[in-house]
Amino acid sequence: TATKYQRHGYVEKRAFLPGERRSAAREMERTVKGYRELRQELADSRKMIKEQEQDRRSTVEKTIQTSFYKSPVGTRTQKGSGAIFYSDPVGRTCHFSATKRI
């Protein structure tokens, strides 16, 4: 039934005048059952979402940079007959020189 009254001609859209928004909120707190609790829950939810976005943004910005001073894959070269050399990849334990947080 609300859509019937929201059609053009019944209710004209206009901006709140100074003080009308607060008086309308105060009137709804008095007359509408559960409005105050609903408004408080909505404010808490907005605050929680804002905090989560800030946490998410801060974790994305803090990337971990690492650098190697030894390659994790080494090569071992062996001399074959004549002028032929054989190279074999050899794995080794990785060593990090530093871990930096930005």
Side-chain angles (χ1 to χ4, degrees), residues 2-84:
T3 56
K4 177 173 72 174
Y5 295 106
Q6 291 174 350
R7 286 185 290 172
H8 184 70
Y10 285 99
V11 178
E12 296 294 328
K13 288 187 177 185
R14 63 177 178 81
F16 282 113
L17 294 175
E20 279 187 334
R21 185 183 305 260
R22 179 64 187 138
S23 63
R26 200 175 317 133
E27 180 184 347
M28 288 186 65
E29 285 179 3
R30 280 195 315 257
T31 59
V32 178
K33 185 177 181 180
Y35 177 76
R36 186 177 297 167
E37 291 83 10
L38 179 67
R39 196 185 74 204
Q40 184 63 39
E41 287 179 16
L42 186 60
D44 293 341
S45 297
R46 286 179 178 152
K47 184 179 177 184
M48 184 173 50
I49 288 173
K50 185 177 180 181
E51 289 173 356
Q52 287 176 352
E53 286 177 355
Q54 287 176 350
D55 290 343
R56 190 176 304 123
R57 197 173 300 127
S58 66
T59 57
V60 169
E61 291 173 358
K62 293 181 183 177
T63 57
I64 299 174
Q65 287 186 342
T66 56
S67 57
F68 289 99
Y69 71 89
K70 274 191 173 178
S71 173
V73 178
T75 57
R76 182 165 292 145
T77 306
Q78 298 172 352
K79 185 176 184 320
S81 62
I84 299 175

